[in-house]
Amino acid sequence: MDKAPKPLLLHVLRNDALGGLEQSTLEVARYFATRGVRQHLLIMSPIDAGISERFAEAGIEVSSIPFNKSNALGFIRAYRRLVRRLQPDIQLVSGAFGLHALLAMLGRFAGIRHCWTYLIMGPASHGLPWAVQTVMGQVARLFARGEISVSGYLRRTFNKELFLPLKRIHVVSRWRPIQKIADLAQEARSRRTGDHPVISTAGRLDWMKDFPGMVEGFARFAQVVPTARFQIVGEGPLRADLEAQVESLGISDKVDFLGFRRDVPAILGGSDIFLFSTSPTEGIGNVLVEAMAAGTPVVCTDIGPCAEVLGNGKAGILVPPKSPERMAQAMLDLWNDPARRRQLSQQARDFAHGRYSMEKCGAQLYELIVVGCLHEKERTLAYDAAAEKGHQLGLLLASSVSLFSVFFD
């Protein structure tokens, strides 16, 4: 445990959900707790028995201040009261791009000197017009220290599409409990019986992932290997459509919709191949990292950050997007080559340990936002009245632009 006094970190999440964004925020909080960092979670929606319960179980206090345009002023007042009570040194907004500018502005006015935004998904996933996101991204530059991106791909995307300077965006991958996943997967693997191929995938059943393409790819694979089974883990608005697609392809007896599960590492350990297909809005794909940690050979479309996550094919097989026939052929080649599966399994585990471990990524994030805050506290800064006046005028102007962009888009 570090001896220096630790600052207070305020996490901010838009929703009380249990998706990859929320789960990875919990992993950040758990790691910082091991470093003695004091933490608090603010959720901008009603409490809904989601990630708030996991934070509470970890001993981290949770506050809920629901936000929408009709109660914007009430949110601002409640936020200021919370910040004045807590007096946090650091604010870390995960996701919620667009609103992050408002939160950074409010945080700075309330006395938080270190405001950061974690870029988790691409701009298209935030549901705001391009112009609004661009303006909000530029407004945030006046208040926030910078942005943290989960991948180099996402860093380049925000630079190209929203004109955020590359020098502001720090790449620190969100991590998973690599060793724990590996152990649980190995335990499940040792208990497995039967020799039919089991293919699995996981994620929220929505438009961000290409689940229809994966279903079609599996259907083609099952035509050659009729004993194969496909396990789909997750819930979401596309479930009914996917069930209808499965029925229309005549593979209902081969596909299992498992819903939301807490034993994903065990499911991965019981699988022969992990299938993953996504969209350009993907930031990193937490479940892809989990599959690598579990040692499950991966077949993945070469889109978005996937090539980066898989080390350009060192830790998995990349196939062209929107090509179910190539996906099926890659699965067939892997199934027919046990030695290749074993090789990919080991390479994936090694790659996940080297790049996405808590020890590596957690230390990088801690150095960036916590140590940086501590160092600034130790410095004595000269007060420049003219610069301070100019800064306050800039904040006032940016406040007007920010509020206009949020409430009148």
Side-chain angles (χ1 to χ4, degrees), residues 81-137:
R81 287 195 298 269
L82 177 68
V83 171
R84 285 173 176 170
R85 174 172 71 85
L86 297 175
Q87 296 185 350
D89 303 281
I90 306 168
Q91 176 174 272
L92 181 59
V93 179
S94 294
F97 192 86
L99 281 176
H100 78 298
L102 173 65
L103 290 163
M105 178 193 72
L106 295 175
R108 286 297 303 276
F109 279 140
I112 306 176
R113 295 191 60 82
H114 292 254
C115 296
W116 294 88
T117 302
Y118 227 134
L119 305 177
I120 309 295
M121 297 175 288
S125 67
H126 298 288
L128 292 172
W130 170 84
V132 172
Q133 292 194 69
T134 301
V135 170
M136 299 300 277

CSV table of all heavy atoms in Angstrom, one decimal, residues 81-137:
chain,number,residue,atom,x,y,z
A,81,ARG,N,-24.2,19.8,-4.7
A,81,ARG,CA,-24.3,19.5,-3.3
A,81,ARG,C,-23.5,18.2,-3.0
A,81,ARG,O,-22.8,18.1,-2.0
A,81,ARG,CB,-25.8,19.2,-2.9
A,81,ARG,CG,-26.6,20.5,-2.8
A,81,ARG,CD,-27.9,20.2,-2.0
A,81,ARG,NE,-28.7,19.2,-2.8
A,81,ARG,CZ,-29.7,19.6,-3.6
A,81,ARG,NH1,-29.9,20.9,-3.9
A,81,ARG,NH2,-30.4,18.6,-4.2
A,82,LEU,N,-23.5,17.2,-3.9
A,82,LEU,CA,-22.8,16.0,-3.7
A,82,LEU,C,-21.3,16.3,-3.8
A,82,LEU,O,-20.5,15.8,-2.9
A,82,LEU,CB,-23.1,15.0,-4.8
A,82,LEU,CG,-22.3,13.7,-4.8
A,82,LEU,CD1,-22.7,12.9,-3.6
A,82,LEU,CD2,-22.5,12.9,-6.1
A,83,VAL,N,-20.8,17.1,-4.7
A,83,VAL,CA,-19.4,17.4,-4.8
A,83,VAL,C,-18.9,18.2,-3.6
A,83,VAL,O,-17.8,18.0,-3.1
A,83,VAL,CB,-19.1,18.1,-6.2
A,83,VAL,CG1,-17.7,18.6,-6.2
A,83,VAL,CG2,-19.4,17.2,-7.3
A,84,ARG,N,-19.7,19.1,-3.2
A,84,ARG,CA,-19.3,19.9,-2.0
A,84,ARG,C,-19.2,19.0,-0.8
A,84,ARG,O,-18.3,19.3,0.1
A,84,ARG,CB,-20.3,21.0,-1.8
A,84,ARG,CG,-20.2,22.2,-2.7
A,84,ARG,CD,-21.3,23.2,-2.6
A,84,ARG,NE,-21.1,24.3,-3.5
A,84,ARG,CZ,-22.0,25.3,-3.7
A,84,ARG,NH1,-23.2,25.2,-3.0
A,84,ARG,NH2,-21.8,26.3,-4.5
A,85,ARG,N,-20.1,18.0,-0.7
A,85,ARG,CA,-20.0,17.1,0.5
A,85,ARG,C,-18.8,16.2,0.4
A,85,ARG,O,-18.0,16.0,1.4
A,85,ARG,CB,-21.3,16.2,0.6
A,85,ARG,CG,-21.2,15.2,1.6
A,85,ARG,CD,-22.6,14.5,1.8
A,85,ARG,NE,-22.9,13.6,0.7
A,85,ARG,CZ,-22.5,12.4,0.6
A,85,ARG,NH1,-21.7,11.8,1.5
A,85,ARG,NH2,-22.9,11.6,-0.4
A,86,LEU,N,-18.5,15.7,-0.8
A,86,LEU,CA,-17.4,14.7,-1.0
A,86,LEU,C,-16.1,15.4,-1.1
A,86,LEU,O,-15.1,14.8,-0.7
A,86,LEU,CB,-17.7,13.8,-2.2
A,86,LEU,CG,-18.9,12.9,-2.2
A,86,LEU,CD1,-19.1,12.2,-3.5
A,86,LEU,CD2,-18.8,11.9,-1.1
A,87,GLN,N,-16.1,16.5,-1.8
A,87,GLN,CA,-14.8,17.2,-2.2
A,87,GLN,C,-13.8,16.3,-2.9
A,87,GLN,O,-12.7,16.1,-2.5
A,87,GLN,CB,-14.2,17.8,-0.9
A,87,GLN,CG,-15.0,18.8,-0.2
A,87,GLN,CD,-14.3,19.5,0.9
A,87,GLN,OE1,-13.3,19.1,1.4
A,87,GLN,NE2,-14.9,20.6,1.4
A,88,PRO,N,-14.3,15.7,-4.0
A,88,PRO,CA,-13.4,14.8,-4.7
A,88,PRO,C,-12.2,15.5,-5.4
A,88,PRO,O,-12.4,16.7,-5.8
A,88,PRO,CB,-14.3,14.1,-5.8
A,88,PRO,CG,-15.4,15.1,-6.0
A,88,PRO,CD,-15.6,15.8,-4.6
A,89,ASP,N,-11.1,14.9,-5.6
A,89,ASP,CA,-10.0,15.5,-6.3
A,89,ASP,C,-10.0,15.1,-7.8
A,89,ASP,O,-9.4,15.8,-8.6
A,89,ASP,CB,-8.7,14.9,-5.7
A,89,ASP,CG,-8.6,15.2,-4.2
A,89,ASP,OD1,-8.3,16.4,-3.8
A,89,ASP,OD2,-8.9,14.3,-3.4
A,90,ILE,N,-10.6,14.0,-8.1
A,90,ILE,CA,-10.6,13.4,-9.5
A,90,ILE,C,-12.0,13.0,-9.8
A,90,ILE,O,-12.7,12.4,-9.0
A,90,ILE,CB,-9.7,12.2,-9.6
A,90,ILE,CG1,-8.3,12.6,-9.1
A,90,ILE,CG2,-9.6,11.8,-11.0
A,90,ILE,CD1,-7.4,11.3,-8.9
A,91,GLN,N,-12.4,13.3,-11.1
A,91,GLN,CA,-13.7,12.8,-11.6
A,91,GLN,C,-13.3,12.0,-12.9
A,91,GLN,O,-12.7,12.5,-13.8
A,91,GLN,CB,-14.6,14.0,-12.0
A,91,GLN,CG,-15.9,13.5,-12.6
A,91,GLN,CD,-16.9,14.7,-12.8
A,91,GLN,OE1,-17.7,15.0,-12.0
A,91,GLN,NE2,-16.7,15.3,-14.0
A,92,LEU,N,-13.9,10.8,-12.9
A,92,LEU,CA,-13.6,9.9,-14.1
A,92,LEU,C,-15.0,9.5,-14.6
A,92,LEU,O,-15.7,8.7,-14.1
A,92,LEU,CB,-12.8,8.7,-13.7
A,92,LEU,CG,-12.5,7.7,-14.8
A,92,LEU,CD1,-11.7,8.3,-15.9
A,92,LEU,CD2,-11.8,6.5,-14.2
A,93,VAL,N,-15.3,10.1,-15.8
A,93,VAL,CA,-16.6,9.8,-16.5
A,93,VAL,C,-16.3,8.7,-17.5
A,93,VAL,O,-15.5,8.8,-18.4
A,93,VAL,CB,-17.1,11.0,-17.2
A,93,VAL,CG1,-18.4,10.7,-17.9
A,93,VAL,CG2,-17.4,12.2,-16.2
A,94,SER,N,-17.0,7.6,-17.3
A,94,SER,CA,-16.8,6.4,-18.2
A,94,SER,C,-18.0,6.4,-19.2
A,94,SER,O,-19.1,6.2,-18.8
A,94,SER,CB,-16.8,5.1,-17.4
A,94,SER,OG,-15.6,5.1,-16.6
A,95,GLY,N,-17.7,6.5,-20.5
A,95,GLY,CA,-18.7,6.6,-21.5
A,95,GLY,C,-19.4,8.0,-21.4
A,95,GLY,O,-18.7,9.0,-21.1
A,96,ALA,N,-20.7,8.1,-21.8
A,96,ALA,CA,-21.4,9.3,-21.7
A,96,ALA,C,-20.8,10.5,-22.4
A,96,ALA,O,-20.8,11.6,-22.0
A,96,ALA,CB,-21.7,9.7,-20.2
A,97,PHE,N,-20.2,10.2,-23.6
A,97,PHE,CA,-19.6,11.2,-24.4
A,97,PHE,C,-20.6,12.2,-24.8
A,97,PHE,O,-21.7,11.9,-25.3
A,97,PHE,CB,-18.8,10.7,-25.6
A,97,PHE,CG,-17.9,11.7,-26.2
A,97,PHE,CD1,-16.6,11.9,-25.8
A,97,PHE,CD2,-18.3,12.5,-27.3
A,97,PHE,CE1,-15.8,12.8,-26.3
A,97,PHE,CE2,-17.5,13.4,-27.9
A,97,PHE,CZ,-16.2,13.6,-27.4
A,98,GLY,N,-20.3,13.5,-24.7
A,98,GLY,CA,-21.3,14.6,-24.9
A,98,GLY,C,-21.7,15.2,-23.5
A,98,GLY,O,-21.3,16.3,-23.2
A,99,LEU,N,-22.3,14.3,-22.7
A,99,LEU,CA,-22.5,14.8,-21.3
A,99,LEU,C,-21.2,15.0,-20.5
A,99,LEU,O,-21.2,15.7,-19.5
A,99,LEU,CB,-23.4,13.7,-20.6
A,99,LEU,CG,-24.9,13.8,-20.9
A,99,LEU,CD1,-25.6,12.6,-20.2
A,99,LEU,CD2,-25.5,15.1,-20.5
A,100,HIS,N,-20.2,14.4,-21.0
A,100,HIS,CA,-18.9,14.5,-20.3
A,100,HIS,C,-18.4,15.9,-20.2
A,100,HIS,O,-17.8,16.4,-19.2
A,100,HIS,CB,-17.8,13.6,-20.9
A,100,HIS,CG,-17.2,14.2,-22.2
A,100,HIS,ND1,-18.0,14.5,-23.3
A,100,HIS,CD2,-16.0,14.7,-22.5
A,100,HIS,CE1,-17.2,15.0,-24.3
A,100,HIS,NE2,-16.0,15.1,-23.8
A,101,ALA,N,-18.8,16.7,-21.2
A,101,ALA,CA,-18.4,18.1,-21.2
A,101,ALA,C,-19.1,18.9,-20.1
A,101,ALA,O,-18.5,19.7,-19.4
A,101,ALA,CB,-18.7,18.8,-22.6
A,102,LEU,N,-20.4,18.6,-20.0
A,102,LEU,CA,-21.2,19.3,-18.9
A,102,LEU,C,-20.7,18.8,-17.6
A,102,LEU,O,-20.5,19.7,-16.7
A,102,LEU,CB,-22.7,18.9,-19.1
A,102,LEU,CG,-23.6,19.3,-17.9
A,102,LEU,CD1,-23.7,20.8,-17.9
A,102,LEU,CD2,-25.0,18.7,-18.1
A,103,LEU,N,-20.4,17.6,-17.4
A,103,LEU,CA,-19.9,17.1,-16.1
A,103,LEU,C,-18.5,17.7,-15.8
A,103,LEU,O,-18.2,18.0,-14.6
A,103,LEU,CB,-19.8,15.5,-16.1
A,103,LEU,CG,-21.1,14.8,-16.1
A,103,LEU,CD1,-21.0,13.4,-16.6
A,103,LEU,CD2,-21.8,14.9,-14.8
A,104,ALA,N,-17.7,17.8,-16.8
A,104,ALA,CA,-16.3,18.4,-16.6
A,104,ALA,C,-16.5,19.9,-16.2
A,104,ALA,O,-15.8,20.4,-15.3
A,104,ALA,CB,-15.5,18.3,-17.8
A,105,MET,N,-17.4,20.6,-16.8
A,105,MET,CA,-17.6,22.0,-16.5
A,105,MET,C,-18.2,22.1,-15.1
A,105,MET,O,-17.7,22.9,-14.3
A,105,MET,CB,-18.7,22.6,-17.5
A,105,MET,CG,-19.0,24.0,-17.2
A,105,MET,SD,-20.5,24.5,-18.2
A,105,MET,CE,-21.8,23.6,-17.3
A,106,LEU,N,-19.2,21.3,-14.8
A,106,LEU,CA,-19.7,21.4,-13.4
A,106,LEU,C,-18.7,21.0,-12.4
A,106,LEU,O,-18.6,21.6,-11.3
A,106,LEU,CB,-21.0,20.5,-13.3
A,106,LEU,CG,-22.2,20.8,-14.2
A,106,LEU,CD1,-23.3,19.8,-14.0
A,106,LEU,CD2,-22.7,22.2,-13.8
A,107,GLY,N,-17.9,20.0,-12.7
A,107,GLY,CA,-16.9,19.5,-11.8
A,107,GLY,C,-15.8,20.6,-11.5
A,107,GLY,O,-15.5,20.9,-10.3
A,108,ARG,N,-15.4,21.3,-12.5
A,108,ARG,CA,-14.4,22.3,-12.3
A,108,ARG,C,-15.0,23.5,-11.5
A,108,ARG,O,-14.3,24.0,-10.6
A,108,ARG,CB,-13.9,22.9,-13.7
A,108,ARG,CG,-13.0,21.9,-14.4
A,108,ARG,CD,-11.7,21.7,-13.6
A,108,ARG,NE,-11.0,22.9,-13.3
A,108,ARG,CZ,-10.1,23.5,-14.2
A,108,ARG,NH1,-9.9,23.0,-15.4
A,108,ARG,NH2,-9.5,24.6,-13.8
A,109,PHE,N,-16.2,23.9,-11.8
A,109,PHE,CA,-16.8,25.0,-11.1
A,109,PHE,C,-17.0,24.6,-9.6
A,109,PHE,O,-17.0,25.4,-8.7
A,109,PHE,CB,-18.2,25.4,-11.6
A,109,PHE,CG,-18.1,26.3,-12.8
A,109,PHE,CD1,-18.9,26.1,-13.9
A,109,PHE,CD2,-17.2,27.3,-12.9
A,109,PHE,CE1,-18.8,26.9,-15.0
A,109,PHE,CE2,-17.1,28.2,-14.0
A,109,PHE,CZ,-17.9,28.0,-15.1
A,110,ALA,N,-17.2,23.3,-9.4
A,110,ALA,CA,-17.4,22.8,-8.0
A,110,ALA,C,-16.1,22.5,-7.3
A,110,ALA,O,-16.1,22.1,-6.1
A,110,ALA,CB,-18.3,21.6,-8.0
A,111,GLY,N,-15.0,22.7,-8.0
A,111,GLY,CA,-13.7,22.5,-7.3
A,111,GLY,C,-12.9,21.3,-7.6
A,111,GLY,O,-11.8,21.0,-7.1
A,112,ILE,N,-13.4,20.4,-8.6
A,112,ILE,CA,-12.6,19.2,-9.0
A,112,ILE,C,-11.6,19.7,-10.0
A,112,ILE,O,-12.0,20.1,-11.1
A,112,ILE,CB,-13.5,18.1,-9.6
A,112,ILE,CG1,-14.7,17.8,-8.6
A,112,ILE,CG2,-12.7,16.9,-9.9
A,112,ILE,CD1,-15.7,16.8,-9.1
A,113,ARG,N,-10.3,19.5,-9.7
A,113,ARG,CA,-9.3,20.0,-10.6
A,113,ARG,C,-8.9,19.0,-11.7
A,113,ARG,O,-8.4,19.4,-12.8
A,113,ARG,CB,-8.1,20.4,-9.8
A,113,ARG,CG,-8.3,21.6,-8.9
A,113,ARG,CD,-7.0,22.2,-8.4
A,113,ARG,NE,-6.1,22.6,-9.5
A,113,ARG,CZ,-6.2,23.8,-10.1
A,113,ARG,NH1,-7.1,24.7,-9.7
A,113,ARG,NH2,-5.3,24.1,-11.0
A,114,HIS,N,-9.2,17.7,-11.4
A,114,HIS,CA,-8.8,16.7,-12.4
A,114,HIS,C,-10.0,16.0,-12.9
A,114,HIS,O,-10.5,15.1,-12.3
A,114,HIS,CB,-7.8,15.7,-11.7
A,114,HIS,CG,-6.5,16.3,-11.4
A,114,HIS,ND1,-5.3,16.0,-12.1
A,114,HIS,CD2,-6.1,17.2,-10.4
A,114,HIS,CE1,-4.3,16.7,-11.5
A,114,HIS,NE2,-4.8,17.4,-10.5
A,115,CYS,N,-10.5,16.4,-14.1
A,115,CYS,CA,-11.6,15.7,-14.7
A,115,CYS,C,-11.1,14.9,-15.9
A,115,CYS,O,-10.5,15.5,-16.8
A,115,CYS,CB,-12.7,16.8,-15.1
A,115,CYS,SG,-13.4,17.6,-13.7
A,116,TRP,N,-11.5,13.7,-16.0
A,116,TRP,CA,-11.1,12.8,-17.1
A,116,TRP,C,-12.3,12.1,-17.7
A,116,TRP,O,-13.3,11.9,-17.0
A,116,TRP,CB,-10.1,11.7,-16.6
A,116,TRP,CG,-8.8,12.3,-16.2
A,116,TRP,CD1,-8.4,12.7,-14.9
A,116,TRP,CD2,-7.6,12.4,-17.0
A,116,TRP,NE1,-7.1,13.1,-14.9
A,116,TRP,CE2,-6.6,12.9,-16.1
A,116,TRP,CE3,-7.3,12.2,-18.3
A,116,TRP,CZ2,-5.3,13.2,-16.6
A,116,TRP,CZ3,-6.0,12.4,-18.8
A,116,TRP,CH2,-5.1,12.9,-17.9
A,117,THR,N,-12.2,11.7,-19.0
A,117,THR,CA,-13.3,11.0,-19.6
A,117,THR,C,-12.6,9.7,-20.2
A,117,THR,O,-11.6,9.8,-20.9
A,117,THR,CB,-13.9,11.8,-20.8
A,117,THR,OG1,-14.5,13.0,-20.2
A,117,THR,CG2,-15.0,10.9,-21.4
A,118,TYR,N,-13.3,8.6,-19.9
A,118,TYR,CA,-12.8,7.3,-20.5
A,118,TYR,C,-13.6,7.0,-21.8
A,118,TYR,O,-14.9,6.9,-21.7
A,118,TYR,CB,-13.0,6.1,-19.5
A,118,TYR,CG,-11.8,5.2,-19.3
A,118,TYR,CD1,-11.4,4.8,-18.1
A,118,TYR,CD2,-11.2,4.7,-20.5
A,118,TYR,CE1,-10.3,4.0,-17.9
A,118,TYR,CE2,-10.1,3.9,-20.3
A,118,TYR,CZ,-9.6,3.6,-19.1
A,118,TYR,OH,-8.5,2.7,-18.9
A,119,LEU,N,-13.0,7.0,-22.9
A,119,LEU,CA,-13.6,6.7,-24.2
A,119,LEU,C,-13.7,5.2,-24.3
A,119,LEU,O,-12.7,4.5,-24.4
A,119,LEU,CB,-12.8,7.3,-25.3
A,119,LEU,CG,-12.5,8.8,-25.2
A,119,LEU,CD1,-11.6,9.2,-26.4
A,119,LEU,CD2,-13.8,9.6,-25.2
A,120,ILE,N,-14.9,4.7,-24.3
A,120,ILE,CA,-15.2,3.2,-24.3
A,120,ILE,C,-15.7,2.8,-25.6
A,120,ILE,O,-15.3,1.7,-26.1
A,120,ILE,CB,-16.2,2.9,-23.2
A,120,ILE,CG1,-15.8,3.5,-21.8
A,120,ILE,CG2,-16.3,1.4,-23.1
A,120,ILE,CD1,-14.5,2.9,-21.3
A,121,MET,N,-16.5,3.6,-26.3
A,121,MET,CA,-17.1,3.2,-27.6
A,121,MET,C,-17.0,4.3,-28.6
A,121,MET,O,-16.7,5.5,-28.2
A,121,MET,CB,-18.6,2.8,-27.4
A,121,MET,CG,-18.8,1.6,-26.5
A,121,MET,SD,-20.5,1.3,-26.1
A,121,MET,CE,-20.9,2.6,-25.0
A,122,GLY,N,-17.1,4.0,-29.8
A,122,GLY,CA,-17.0,5.0,-30.9
A,122,GLY,C,-18.1,6.1,-30.9
A,122,GLY,O,-19.1,5.9,-30.2
A,123,PRO,N,-17.9,7.2,-31.6
A,123,PRO,CA,-18.8,8.3,-31.6
A,123,PRO,C,-20.2,7.9,-32.0
A,123,PRO,O,-21.2,8.4,-31.4
A,123,PRO,CB,-18.2,9.3,-32.6
A,123,PRO,CG,-16.8,9.0,-32.5
A,123,PRO,CD,-16.6,7.5,-32.3
A,124,ALA,N,-20.4,6.9,-32.9
A,124,ALA,CA,-21.7,6.6,-33.4
A,124,ALA,C,-22.6,5.9,-32.4
A,124,ALA,O,-23.8,5.9,-32.5
A,124,ALA,CB,-21.6,5.6,-34.6
A,125,SER,N,-22.0,5.4,-31.3
A,125,SER,CA,-22.7,4.7,-30.3
A,125,SER,C,-23.4,5.6,-29.3
A,125,SER,O,-24.2,5.2,-28.5
A,125,SER,CB,-21.8,3.8,-29.5
A,125,SER,OG,-20.9,4.5,-28.7
A,126,HIS,N,-23.1,6.9,-29.3
A,126,HIS,CA,-23.6,7.8,-28.3
A,126,HIS,C,-25.0,8.4,-28.6
A,126,HIS,O,-25.6,9.1,-27.8
A,126,HIS,CB,-22.6,8.9,-28.0
A,126,HIS,CG,-21.3,8.3,-27.4
A,126,HIS,ND1,-21.2,7.8,-26.2
A,126,HIS,CD2,-20.1,8.2,-28.0
A,126,HIS,CE1,-20.0,7.4,-26.0
A,126,HIS,NE2,-19.3,7.6,-27.1
A,127,GLY,N,-25.4,8.3,-29.8
A,127,GLY,CA,-26.8,8.7,-30.2
A,127,GLY,C,-26.9,10.2,-30.3
A,127,GLY,O,-28.1,10.7,-30.3
A,128,LEU,N,-25.9,10.9,-30.4
A,128,LEU,CA,-25.9,12.4,-30.6
A,128,LEU,C,-25.5,12.8,-32.0
A,128,LEU,O,-24.6,12.1,-32.6
A,128,LEU,CB,-25.0,13.1,-29.6
A,128,LEU,CG,-25.4,13.0,-28.1
A,128,LEU,CD1,-24.3,13.6,-27.2
A,128,LEU,CD2,-26.7,13.7,-27.9
A,129,PRO,N,-26.0,13.8,-32.6
A,129,PRO,CA,-25.6,14.3,-33.9
A,129,PRO,C,-24.1,14.6,-33.9
A,129,PRO,O,-23.5,15.0,-32.9
A,129,PRO,CB,-26.4,15.6,-34.1
A,129,PRO,CG,-27.6,15.4,-33.2
A,129,PRO,CD,-27.1,14.7,-32.0
A,130,TRP,N,-23.5,14.4,-35.0
A,130,TRP,CA,-22.0,14.6,-35.2
A,130,TRP,C,-21.7,16.0,-34.7
A,130,TRP,O,-20.7,16.2,-34.0
A,130,TRP,CB,-21.6,14.4,-36.6
A,130,TRP,CG,-20.2,14.8,-36.9
A,130,TRP,CD1,-19.0,14.1,-36.7
A,130,TRP,CD2,-19.8,16.1,-37.4
A,130,TRP,NE1,-17.9,14.8,-37.0
A,130,TRP,CE2,-18.4,16.1,-37.5
A,130,TRP,CE3,-20.4,17.2,-37.8
A,130,TRP,CZ2,-17.6,17.1,-37.9
A,130,TRP,CZ3,-19.7,18.3,-38.3
A,130,TRP,CH2,-18.3,18.3,-38.3
A,131,ALA,N,-22.4,17.0,-35.1
A,131,ALA,CA,-22.1,18.4,-34.8
A,131,ALA,C,-22.1,18.6,-33.2
A,131,ALA,O,-21.2,19.3,-32.7
A,131,ALA,CB,-23.1,19.4,-35.4
A,132,VAL,N,-23.1,18.0,-32.6
A,132,VAL,CA,-23.2,18.2,-31.1
A,132,VAL,C,-22.0,17.5,-30.5
A,132,VAL,O,-21.3,18.1,-29.5
A,132,VAL,CB,-24.5,17.6,-30.6
A,132,VAL,CG1,-24.5,17.6,-29.1
A,132,VAL,CG2,-25.7,18.4,-31.1
A,133,GLN,N,-21.6,16.3,-30.9
A,133,GLN,CA,-20.5,15.6,-30.3
A,133,GLN,C,-19.2,16.4,-30.5
A,133,GLN,O,-18.3,16.5,-29.7
A,133,GLN,CB,-20.4,14.2,-30.9
A,133,GLN,CG,-21.5,13.3,-30.5
A,133,GLN,CD,-21.2,11.8,-30.8
A,133,GLN,OE1,-20.3,11.2,-30.2
A,133,GLN,NE2,-21.9,11.3,-31.8
A,134,THR,N,-19.1,16.9,-31.7
A,134,THR,CA,-17.8,17.7,-32.1
A,134,THR,C,-17.7,18.9,-31.2
A,134,THR,O,-16.6,19.2,-30.6
A,134,THR,CB,-17.9,18.1,-33.5
A,134,THR,OG1,-17.9,17.0,-34.4
A,134,THR,CG2,-16.6,18.9,-33.9
A,135,VAL,N,-18.8,19.7,-31.0
A,135,VAL,CA,-18.8,20.9,-30.1
A,135,VAL,C,-18.5,20.5,-28.7
A,135,VAL,O,-17.7,21.1,-28.0
A,135,VAL,CB,-20.1,21.6,-30.2
A,135,VAL,CG1,-20.2,22.7,-29.2
A,135,VAL,CG2,-20.3,22.3,-31.6
A,136,MET,N,-19.2,19.4,-28.2
A,136,MET,CA,-19.0,19.0,-26.8
A,136,MET,C,-17.6,18.5,-26.6
A,136,MET,O,-17.0,18.8,-25.5
A,136,MET,CB,-20.0,17.9,-26.5
A,136,MET,CG,-21.4,18.4,-26.6
A,136,MET,SD,-21.8,19.8,-25.5
A,136,MET,CE,-22.1,18.9,-24.0
A,137,GLY,N,-17.0,17.9,-27.6
A,137,GLY,CA,-15.6,17.4,-27.4
A,137,GLY,C,-14.6,18.6,-27.3
A,137,GLY,O,-13.7,18.5,-26.5
